[in-house]
Amino acid sequence: MIFNCNLKRKFQRFCLILVCLVVLTFQSYIPNLKALTMDNYQSAMVIEELRLKVPADAKAVWLNAEKEVWEPWLSSQDGFLGRQLFWDKEKEEALILVNWESKKLWKSIPMSEVYLVQKKFEDNVKDALNVVENPFELVYEGELDKQG
């Protein structure tokens, strides 16, 4: 009887250790399945995501400056596929989604050129609103990779 109890206890411990090892083994592979490096997506379509604070009273000026400054410049860039503009009335926040053929083409645009266009945009807005500072604070900047 004591022999059976010891054998049963040892078997239970063995099973517990085996289960723990299996869980740990498979758990170590899960992040590798979910976390693919961004380098794999250099040639895949990517969406640039920008969020700006846009007060309700300046919404029309923002839309006009986007149309006059960013739209023509973006249209002249290799890899530009289009963009969408959204505005959240409650948050007074704009969402800009810019579609690019690939991350490589998007990131090949010199930042110095982007800064010049941004300055032109800000000057347009400041003149229209008769203010000294750009009222459209950048809240978030990121990218979305198309899946599947």
Side-chain angles (χ1 to χ4, degrees):
M1 187 76 164
I2 293 175
F3 179 72
N4 278 344
C5 246
N6 281 339
L7 186 60
K8 187 177 178 182
R9 201 173 311 140
K10 285 182 181 182
F11 182 72
Q12 286 175 335
R13 285 182 186 162
F14 173 76
C15 287
L16 180 64
I17 290 171
L18 184 63
V19 167
C20 289
L21 284 173
V22 168
V23 168
L24 287 173
T25 301
F26 284 112
Q27 187 176 6
S28 68
Y29 289 108
I30 290 172
N32 293 337
L33 293 174
K34 291 182 179 176
L36 298 173
T37 63
M38 295 309 291
D39 294 337
N40 294 341
Y41 293 104
Q42 287 293 317
S43 61
M45 183 184 145
V46 66
I47 300 170
E48 178 182 8
E49 178 184 5
L50 302 166
R51 292 182 186 273
L52 308 170
K53 276 292 183 195
V54 177
D57 60 345
K59 179 184 169 195
V61 171
W62 165 68
L63 286 170
N64 187 58
E66 287 286 343
K67 186 178 180 180
E68 287 183 1
V69 180
W70 280 112
E71 200 170 291
W73 181 79
L74 284 167
S75 297
S76 70
Q77 300 305 307
D78 285 342
F80 173 73
L81 298 176
R83 71 186 183 135
Q84 296 174 294
L85 304 176
F86 302 91
W87 187 70
D88 184 326
K89 185 177 184 175
E90 285 182 28
K91 292 182 182 179
E92 292 192 336
E93 188 175 284
L95 169 63
I96 304 166
L97 300 175
V98 184
N99 299 303
W100 295 96
E101 186 178 318
S102 72
K103 187 174 181 176
K104 185 177 180 181
L105 287 171
W106 169 35
K107 295 298 183 175
S108 70
I109 300 169
M111 283 310 294
S112 58
E113 196 174 326
V114 174
Y115 291 140
L116 286 174
V117 179
Q118 178 62 26
K119 180 168 179 2
K120 217 171 144 179
F121 172 82
E122 290 179 14
D123 289 344
N124 180 307
V125 167
K126 290 188 285 189
D127 287 346
L129 294 172
N130 197 26
V131 294
V132 179
E133 295 290 319
N134 176 18
F136 307 133
E137 172 194 345
L138 181 64
V139 176
Y140 175 79
E141 181 178 11
E143 62 189 68
L144 304 166
D145 294 304
K146 185 167 178 144
Q147 303 297 303

